[in-house]
Amino acid sequence: MSSSNLSFKDKVVVITGAGGGLGKVYALEYAKRGANLVINDLGGTLTGSGHDSRAADIVVNEINSKYSKMGAKAVPNYDSVNSDGENIIKTAIDNFGRIDILINNAGILRDSSFVKMTPEHFHSVIDVHLNGAYKLSRAAWPYMRKQKFGRIINTASPAGLFGNFGQANYSAAKLGLVGLGETLAKEGYNYNIMVNSIAPLARSRMTENVLPPHILKQLGPEKIAPLVLFLTHDETKVTNSIFELAAGFYGQIRWERSSGQIFNPSSENYFTPEAILNKWSEITTFDDKPFNKTQHPMQLSDYNDLISKAKKLPVENDQGSIKINSIKGKVVIVTGAGGGLGKSHAIWFAKYGANVLVNDIRDPNTVVNEINKLYGEGTAMPDSHDVVTQAQFIIDNALKQFGHIDILVNNAGILRDRSFLKMKDDEWNSVIKVHLYSTFAMCKAVWPVFLKQKSGGSIINTTSTSGIYGNFGQANYAAAKAAILGFSRTIAIEGFKKNIIVNIIAPHAETAMTKSIFGEKELANHFDVSQVSPFVVLLASKELQDVNSKKGGVKGQLFEVGGGWCGQTRWQRSGGFVSTEQDITPELLKAHWNEVTNFKSGTVTVGSTEGSSMAILQAVQKAQMSKISSTASHDDNESSSSSNGSTTFNYTEKDCILYNLGLGSTRNELKYVYENDPNFQVLPTFAVIPFMKSSMESFNMDQLVENFNFTMLLHGEQYFKLPKLPLPTSGKLKTVSEPLQVIDKNGKAAVIVGGYKTYDTKTNKLLAYNEGTYFIRGAHVPKEKQKLDPSVRSKFAIQKFQSPTNKSPDFEIEVTTSEDQAALYRLSGDFNPLHIDPFVAKSIKFPKPILHGLCTMGISAKQLYEKFGAYDELKVRFSSVVFPGDKLKIKAWKQPNGIVIFQTIDSNTNQVVLDNAAIKLTNPTSKL
């Protein structure tokens, strides 16, 4: 091993679930670098049943036989992580005398839709993933503190970060691990204990039955191990961080909190749901404001500063024009409502006309009497059942008292704060049960009620800033609250189509629970519980969903609220680093660490497991395409791309034939398919091929716009001009590109127009000029980055070509595409899997792969070329998709000055697929 390689000689590593998959790969990689290892594996099935020591033994034997010369030694352990976690750490101490690195990797799956998920399925997954990681970490902690060195990796998942259908238990456990990790990172920092979380999408027993083989091939666990090794090396000081990784992509993910909106909270008459709704867009806009900035925090907001500024505003907050009437007549259950936030929520719902079941295990009657005195007898009813063990009784009581249920607010909770070194198992377990298990139990019990109702229902679950960011002395509370967030995001996905709306709040208020941890400033500012409840009422309202209906409603969202301030919190991912190398090493990641953690450009706002996974795979695919293109066009030791925004493109007669075949040319058209034909030529639309390559490599779109996501990119329009015809059938070309326009579309999308000049490198003459227009959903362009000048565009490119509705076409033809058309066309340079891979297509909601828009354009333009002759300008708008095998109907109308307007319709779907389209003939009179 080179001295520059990261060595783990004499380090003691404990890996749970190391009998296969990720855990086994980790173990072998550590062994290659001289580590001593405890290989833990219960040897059970994927669902956690059974026990077999062979899995661990096989790995141990392989390490001891292959890597003992490197100084590595391995011992097995067969204990269960959740019931006997201490014994796993004891195995390390007994055999090696210390524990340096802990990889919490063991896991099981018990996937099912939430309506079918049993408490046993929920608890078993929490036990193995979350409680197991607690047990191991707690047992290792004293040794790591004493030796002032430790490295812990918690294995999260995209399902935990974003939620995922059918994985409410898994999502809860995996985000709970993040909350635990964030807290341990804060408590361990002064002792050189670095704690991080990874969210891998890797090939393992858990994914092999979910993803197709060709995708799995890219997701080998060997691409995950390098990051784990880098993060756990003694030279690495990275801590309290989360990373998403797969298939050679490595990116950091962090919280992003909006600047939000402040309201004067002094008067309950004016700090209302209506006032908050009136400023909703300000709450969810991630722009800096005079009173606050958009932040990427590791702790809660500066509420003392925010409430001070809020109280300087006029007391009479603007109430707007929309009155919240939808709460009237609704039935609301509020747990833990005997005091504090729960009591305040109950009173506010009653104030807006709701009937309230006040649940509290101690004394619900005092609050019930207060509400009934204010709003009428029978408005509120008491319930004293235990939220953990008697959730169904609470639901049955509400139905008995009021006949239906519309809103559930899960608020009940306890604190058992303790430094992790001193934390007892019962303190951990009690907090997990009261917060997480009760939230599951209550949601599970009310779910069938909501499903039966046409009106559905609303659930507001309570997390905490400790759960979002971690907090010293609250490992149990942070884990439970983070788990609630992960759980809520999954049931929000499952419930939305059934009109069950789920959202999450992280309140900041002075209660009996928080008073002991509030400082003097917080107590002086008196963060009243009534400063949170108006937001909760608004979240449960129909009016909020109506206002946001064009954006898909408000569901599965996280909000921080308190002291007159309301803000939204979401995930943001770095641009990341992609390696297309077969063998990726920790040393490679070390060399590219600034790219892994780069948030200065290329950041992505990700909101779903599907979107995250597709964005990662697209980034990898883009890197692979770039590598393929670079290799294919490498000539005379000259690179295919350069730092000045230009790319080179080499082609021969073979490429021309392949392109012509991709547009439907046949063996009967020798001028398109036979290089020795005296009229051999390439179709004019070949001009887009060098552009197509350049558009992927020339300028970085992710640097032009904020929140760029490759999966959200649509090719909207295409234009080209040919200075001279015909195009040569071979050559070496250079394309120089620049962004012409960068436009923000009301903060909801961005438009980028690129200009591409393609030259013959021998003559330096311009062969083609292209303009491509791209629409990126969800992206945003700051004012300083916008380019708006339309004068830089070609006039033909921005001219509108409306298909005549009062005139029959001068030319009409129907062409049947081949079912293999997309497979053939992509060989001309665009290797986007969307055009060949059924899995990728379905991930983007297409039933099967689609035809490239430029292929549809080329097929249509070929027919126009045959009918009208040569043209030197073409412009189209892509308005819908075409599936290979569909019939295309091309209609054309002759216009003055050699212009032919055309439109292409997919006869199978009756959708216009090319519109606002025209060609300009080089000889206007010949065929017109």
Side-chain angles (χ1 to χ4, degrees):
M1 180 178 292
S2 169
S3 60
S4 62
N5 286 351
L6 302 180
S7 172
F8 288 88
K9 185 173 174 56
D10 298 327
K11 287 289 188 288
V12 178
V13 185
V14 172
I15 306 173
T16 63
L22 280 170
K24 178 180 179 179
V25 173
Y26 296 156
L28 296 177
E29 290 300 318
Y30 278 115
K32 291 175 186 177
R33 294 166 183 264
N36 295 314
L37 293 120
V38 174
I39 305 301
N40 162 261
D41 202 291
L42 185 64
T45 65
L46 187 58
T47 58
S49 62
H51 180 91
D52 189 343
S53 65
R54 285 179 296 177
D57 291 340
I58 290 171
V59 178
V60 167
N61 292 336
E62 182 174 354
I63 290 172
N64 289 335
S65 62
K66 286 185 178 180
Y67 304 113
S68 59
K69 292 180 180 180
M70 281 98 167
K73 181 181 178 182
V75 296
N77 177 279
Y78 319 114
D79 288 304
S80 167
V81 292
N82 52 303
S83 60
D84 301 298
E86 301 89 343
N87 289 339
I88 302 171
I89 300 302
K90 185 176 184 297
T91 300
I93 302 303
D94 289 347
N95 284 273
F96 303 114
R98 58 187 289 124
I99 164 67
D100 298 292
I101 298 166
L102 169 62
I103 313 297
N104 286 311
N105 172 73
I108 62 171
L109 286 179
R110 293 287 181 85
D111 292 356
S112 68
S113 64
F114 187 58
V115 72
K116 296 179 180 178
M117 186 169 286
T118 65
E120 189 276 331
H121 284 164
F122 187 82
H123 296 160
S124 62
V125 170
I126 299 298
D127 273 348
V128 173
H129 291 271
L130 183 55
N131 294 335
Y134 156 73
K135 287 271 191 170
L136 270 291
S137 302
R138 177 65 186 84
W141 201 253
Y143 299 103
M144 290 181 172
R145 271 185 45 129
K146 186 176 181 180
Q147 66 201 23
K148 291 194 174 179
F149 179 85
R151 299 289 186 267
I152 298 176
I153 298 291
N154 283 345
T155 307
S157 164
L161 301 177
F162 313 111
N164 198 37
F165 194 101
Q167 293 192 308
N169 46 9
Y170 190 68
S171 299
K174 288 304 189 181
L175 198 57
L177 282 167
V178 173
L180 172 63
E182 288 175 326
T183 294
L184 297 188
K186 292 181 175 180
E187 293 200 31
Y189 185 74
N190 289 335
Y191 298 92
N192 193 23
I193 304 174
M194 307 297 163
V195 186
N196 295 286
S197 298
I198 62 168
L201 183 64
R203 185 176 72 241
S204 67
R205 288 195 303 163
M206 290 191 181
T207 58
E208 64 186 6
N209 294 322
V210 180
L211 300 175
H214 58 289
I215 295 293
L216 288 171
K217 186 177 180 181
Q218 299 185 60
L219 301 179
E222 63 274 1
K223 300 288 181 71
I224 307 301
L227 179 63
V228 171
L229 266 67
F230 172 76
L231 289 174
T232 54
H233 194 264
D234 53 7
E235 291 180 7
T236 303
K237 303 301 179 184
V238 178
T239 193
N240 200 16
S241 298
I242 312 162
F243 300 91
E244 279 197 282
L245 62 164
F249 172 89
Y250 304 88
Q252 185 177 2
I253 191 164
R254 66 181 182 181
W255 290 110
E256 183 174 48
R257 185 168 60 211
S258 72
S259 53
Q261 183 60 39
I262 51 175
F263 305 84
N264 192 317
S266 302
S267 170
E268 291 187 11
N269 292 326
Y270 296 106
F271 184 44
T272 63
E274 287 86 355
I276 299 171
L277 179 61
N278 186 49
K279 295 288 186 180
W280 186 259
S281 61
E282 297 299 315
I283 293 169
T284 57
T285 299
F286 287 76
D287 292 329
D288 292 344
K289 300 188 179 74
F291 63 85
N292 199 23
K293 292 184 176 182
T294 295
Q295 299 171 2
H296 302 98
M298 299 180 74
Q299 60 185 10
L300 74 168
S301 288
D302 186 349
Y303 280 99
N304 290 308
D305 177 66
L306 290 168
I307 197 172
S308 297
K309 292 173 179 176
K311 287 182 176 179
K312 292 178 182 178
L313 297 173
V315 173
E316 298 181 359
N317 298 303
D318 188 349
Q319 301 298 300
S321 59
I322 302 175
K323 177 67 178 173
I324 304 299
N325 293 315
S326 61
I327 302 299
K328 189 174 182 179
K330 295 293 174 66
V331 175
V332 185
I333 297 174
V334 184
T335 66
L341 280 166
K343 173 183 176 181
S344 177
H345 298 339
I347 291 172
W348 271 88
F349 275 112
K351 181 179 180 180
Y352 273 75
N355 292 112
V356 186
L357 188 79
V358 177
N359 164 264
D360 196 279
I361 198 170
R362 294 178 180 174
D363 176 24
N365 291 291
T366 301
V367 176
V368 168
N369 293 336
E370 183 177 341
I371 290 173
N372 288 339
K373 186 176 181 180
L374 287 169
Y375 302 109
E377 195 63 33
T379 299
M381 298 296 290
D383 183 277
S384 57
H385 290 102
D386 186 330
V387 290
V388 178
T389 61
Q390 297 178 305
Q392 189 61 55
F393 291 99
I394 300 172
I395 301 303
D396 292 344
N397 191 18
L399 291 173
K400 178 182 177 181
Q401 299 293 341
F402 300 114
H404 60 102
I405 305 168
D406 303 285
I407 300 163
L408 169 64
V409 182
N410 282 307
N411 169 77
I414 61 170
L415 285 181
R416 295 292 186 270
D417 293 355
R418 186 90 61 184
S419 71
F420 196 58
L421 181 68
K422 298 179 180 179
M423 185 164 287
K424 307 297 183 184
D425 286 354
D426 63 341
E427 294 168 335
W428 170 271
N429 292 330
S430 61
V431 169
I432 295 293
K433 286 179 180 178
V434 171
H435 290 273
L436 177 58
Y437 288 177
S438 73
T439 299
F440 165 78
M442 289 298 299
C443 292
K444 179 66 180 172
V446 82
W447 204 258
V449 178
F450 286 168
L451 288 175
K452 289 179 182 178
Q453 298 173 169
K454 290 183 179 179
S455 58
S458 177
I459 297 174
I460 294 110
N461 287 333
T462 308
T463 184
S464 163
T465 50
S466 295
I468 303 170
Y469 310 112
N471 194 33
F472 194 101
Q474 292 192 309
N476 47 5
Y477 186 66
K481 288 302 192 182
I484 287 171
L485 176 57
F487 164 74
S488 300
R489 283 186 161 157
T490 285
I491 65 170
I493 294 168
E494 296 196 31
F496 185 66
K497 289 185 178 180
K498 303 295 184 181
N499 202 28
I500 302 174
I501 307 299
V502 183
N503 286 290
I504 313 99
I505 61 162
H508 185 77
E510 180 185 327
T511 68
M513 274 181 58
T514 61
K515 196 168 185 177
S516 61
I517 60 174
F518 268 22
E520 292 183 7
K521 285 186 177 180
E522 281 82 8
L523 294 173
N525 279 318
H526 190 54
F527 291 93
D528 197 272
V529 289
S530 65
Q531 297 163 359
V532 175
S533 299
F535 194 92
V536 175
V537 171
L538 178 63
L539 277 184
S541 72
K542 182 177 181 296
E543 288 80 6
L544 177 64
Q545 301 301 327
D546 290 344
V547 167
N548 291 277
S549 59
K550 291 183 178 179
K551 298 180 181 179
V554 180
K555 59 183 186 299
Q557 301 300 309
L558 169 62
F559 301 95
E560 296 183 56
V561 185
W565 175 80
C566 309
Q568 185 176 10
T569 305
R570 65 186 185 185
W571 291 115
Q572 183 191 56
R573 190 169 64 212
S574 68
F577 166 67
V578 178
S579 173
T580 58
E581 298 298 322
Q582 187 67 30
D583 297 317
I584 302 173
T585 65
E587 291 77 16
L588 180 65
L589 294 182
K590 180 181 179 181
H592 291 273
W593 194 247
N594 288 339
E595 295 170 63
V596 175
T597 59
N598 174 32
F599 285 95
K600 293 181 180 179
S601 63
T603 58
V604 178
T605 300
V606 190
S608 71
T609 294
E610 181 181 272
S612 172
S613 300
M614 285 307 304
I616 289 174
L617 294 176
Q618 288 278 25
V620 173
Q621 186 75 26
K622 182 179 177 181
Q624 291 173 342
M625 288 166 58
S626 178
K627 183 178 181 180
I628 292 170
S629 298
S630 177
T631 303
S633 53
H634 188 80
D635 186 41
D636 297 330
N637 295 320
E638 182 179 344
S639 173
S640 67
S641 61
S642 64
S643 59
N644 63 356
S646 67
T647 58
T648 59
F649 176 75
N650 303 327
Y651 70 106
T652 67
E653 289 87 352
K654 178 181 176 182
D655 298 297
C656 295
I657 294 171
L658 186 62
Y659 177 76
N660 290 340
L661 288 169
L663 299 186
S665 297
T666 69
R667 59 187 174 84
N668 296 321
E669 298 174 295
L670 292 183
K671 64 181 179 180
Y672 297 136
V673 299
Y674 183 37
E675 69 278 7
N676 290 325
D677 187 272
N679 294 317
F680 179 65
Q681 60 187 283
V682 66
L683 286 158
T685 49
F686 185 74
V688 303
I689 296 301
F691 144 80
M692 188 162 61
K693 176 182 181 297
S694 179
S695 67
M696 296 297 297
E697 299 179 8
S698 50
F699 52 81
N700 293 323
M701 293 187 185
D702 53 9
Q703 295 181 6
L704 298 177
V705 305
E706 304 292 336
N707 301 329
F708 178 83
N709 187 334
F710 192 75
T711 62
M712 296 291 110
L713 184 147
L714 299 173
H715 191 168
E717 293 186 344
Q718 183 65 35
Y719 162 81
F720 68 78
K721 181 176 176 62
L722 305 175
K724 185 180 179 180
L725 287 171
L727 287 170
T729 56
S730 64
K732 182 177 180 180
L733 309 179
K734 179 178 72 172
T735 299
V736 180
S737 58
E738 64 173 330
L740 302 178
Q741 289 185 300
V742 185
I743 304 168
D744 185 76
K745 292 291 187 180
N746 300 318
K748 301 175 184 178
V751 173
I752 297 176
V753 180
Y756 307 84
K757 296 178 180 178
T758 300
Y759 298 91
D760 186 313
T761 58
K762 290 183 179 180
T763 65
N764 207 33
K765 289 184 178 180
L766 183 68
L767 285 187
Y769 171 70
N770 278 273
E771 289 183 15
T773 302
Y774 307 95
F775 186 83
I776 305 106
R777 291 171 292 166
H780 166 64
V781 187
K783 288 184 179 180
E784 65 273 13
K785 287 188 176 183
Q786 293 187 28
K787 294 184 178 184
L788 306 174
D789 186 5
S791 66
V792 298
R793 304 281 311 276
S794 165
K795 291 183 180 179
F796 198 85
I798 60 177
Q799 186 174 343
K800 292 185 178 180
F801 297 103
Q802 188 70 38
S803 302
T805 57
N806 57 351
K807 181 184 176 184
S808 298
D810 296 301
F811 171 65
E812 182 174 330
I813 191 170
E814 192 168 66
V815 179
T816 302
T817 63
S818 165
E819 292 187 354
D820 300 316
Q821 198 100 45
L824 187 58
Y825 184 81
R826 69 187 295 270
L827 297 180
S828 288
D830 186 345
F831 295 97
N832 188 335
L834 176 60
H835 306 300
I836 192 68
D837 191 326
F839 173 78
V840 172
K842 288 179 181 178
S843 297
I844 313 177
K845 308 302 182 184
F846 292 123
K848 58 183 179 179
I850 64 173
L851 199 61
H852 199 299
L854 291 175
C855 182
T856 303
M857 182 195 79
I859 293 169
S860 302
K862 177 178 183 291
Q863 300 302 319
L864 300 175
Y865 182 66
E866 296 287 340
K867 173 65 179 178
F868 297 109
Y871 49 85
D872 58 5
E873 285 189 273
L874 179 147
K875 179 260 181 81
V876 297
R877 174 177 295 163
F878 305 106
S879 52
S880 190
V881 300
V882 174
F883 296 103
D886 285 1
K887 289 183 178 180
L888 298 178
K889 183 182 291 183
I890 300 111
K891 299 180 179 181
W893 295 265
K894 297 182 291 186
Q895 304 294 306
N897 302 318
I899 292 175
V900 177
I901 294 175
F902 70 96
Q903 183 184 71
T904 301
I905 300 167
D906 188 319
S907 299
N908 293 67
T909 62
N910 202 32
Q911 293 290 316
V912 176
V913 294
L914 298 180
D915 204 7
N916 191 19
I919 57 172
K920 187 173 183 180
L921 303 178
T922 56
N923 188 347
T925 60
S926 61
K927 293 195 176 184
L928 282 176

